[in-house]
Amino acid sequence: MIVRISLIISLAASLYLFSELFDASEERDNNIRAAAVYFVEPPVLSTEPILAEKEWYALLAAREAKNVKAAEPEEPKPKNQKTLTFDGVEFTLLGIFKNREGGFVLLKSSGSEVLKVAAGDAITENVALKAITVDSMTVLVSNKEHSIRLFKRVNEDSNG
């Protein structure tokens, strides 16, 4: 007898729950249809960009300007190389070298031309290399000697 009563109660509870489930789905469908009915498209869309769009376009333009600037090839001068100017032409000192014949200097012009200049050779029409030492070179500019010191020592007293 108890089994029959519990079976009847279980069936009644199940029917109640299933009826609530179907009622809820019908109500949900009615709400969706009602929401679709009440949507009204605005009569005229604004052609002026909103604040977020203005900021977006400004950032996009800044990024494109940065990319264009970065795309331009620039040949930076190395910080550890000395730049010399003779007759309005800039030369970058690449180094002092020695071979069997003697010492020579490698200079790179602003036009990316590398010159190998030994003592007595002309760098330009008015400029010639007279002598090369370990830490300096002597240049003749219009028959006037100019000594260019290549390496300078830092005063040891100032370092502490």
Short mmCIF file of all heavy atoms in Angstrom, two decimals, residues 36-42:
data_model
loop_
_atom_site.label_atom_id
_atom_site.label_comp_id
_atom_site.label_asym_id
_atom_site.label_seq_id
_atom_site.Cartn_x
_atom_site.Cartn_y
_atom_site.Cartn_z
N ALA A 36 10.73 41.36 -30.47
CA ALA A 36 10.96 41.59 -31.89
C ALA A 36 9.96 42.59 -32.45
O ALA A 36 10.28 43.35 -33.34
CB ALA A 36 10.87 40.27 -32.65
N VAL A 37 8.78 42.61 -31.91
CA VAL A 37 7.75 43.53 -32.40
C VAL A 37 8.08 44.96 -31.99
O VAL A 37 7.85 45.89 -32.74
CB VAL A 37 6.37 43.11 -31.86
CG1 VAL A 37 5.33 44.17 -32.14
CG2 VAL A 37 5.96 41.78 -32.47
N TYR A 38 8.66 45.15 -30.80
CA TYR A 38 8.90 46.48 -30.29
C TYR A 38 10.18 47.12 -30.81
O TYR A 38 10.42 48.28 -30.56
CB TYR A 38 8.94 46.48 -28.76
CG TYR A 38 7.57 46.19 -28.18
CD1 TYR A 38 7.35 45.07 -27.40
CD2 TYR A 38 6.50 47.06 -28.41
CE1 TYR A 38 6.12 44.80 -26.89
CE2 TYR A 38 5.25 46.79 -27.90
CZ TYR A 38 5.07 45.66 -27.13
OH TYR A 38 3.86 45.39 -26.61
N PHE A 39 11.03 46.41 -31.53
CA PHE A 39 12.25 47.01 -32.08
C PHE A 39 11.90 47.91 -33.25
O PHE A 39 11.26 47.49 -34.20
CB PHE A 39 13.23 45.92 -32.54
CG PHE A 39 14.46 46.49 -33.18
CD1 PHE A 39 15.43 47.11 -32.41
CD2 PHE A 39 14.64 46.44 -34.55
CE1 PHE A 39 16.55 47.64 -32.99
CE2 PHE A 39 15.76 46.97 -35.14
CZ PHE A 39 16.73 47.57 -34.36
N VAL A 40 12.33 49.17 -33.17
CA VAL A 40 12.07 50.13 -34.23
C VAL A 40 13.41 50.67 -34.70
O VAL A 40 14.22 51.16 -33.90
CB VAL A 40 11.18 51.29 -33.73
CG1 VAL A 40 10.96 52.31 -34.82
CG2 VAL A 40 9.86 50.75 -33.21
N GLU A 41 13.67 50.58 -35.98
CA GLU A 41 14.91 51.08 -36.55
C GLU A 41 14.89 52.59 -36.55
O GLU A 41 13.87 53.21 -36.88
CB GLU A 41 15.08 50.56 -37.97
CG GLU A 41 16.44 50.85 -38.56
CD GLU A 41 16.62 50.20 -39.91
OE1 GLU A 41 15.91 49.23 -40.21
OE2 GLU A 41 17.48 50.69 -40.65
N PRO A 42 16.00 53.24 -36.19
CA PRO A 42 16.00 54.70 -36.19
C PRO A 42 15.78 55.24 -37.60
O PRO A 42 16.25 54.66 -38.57
CB PRO A 42 17.40 55.07 -35.68
CG PRO A 42 18.19 53.82 -35.68
CD PRO A 42 17.26 52.68 -35.75
#
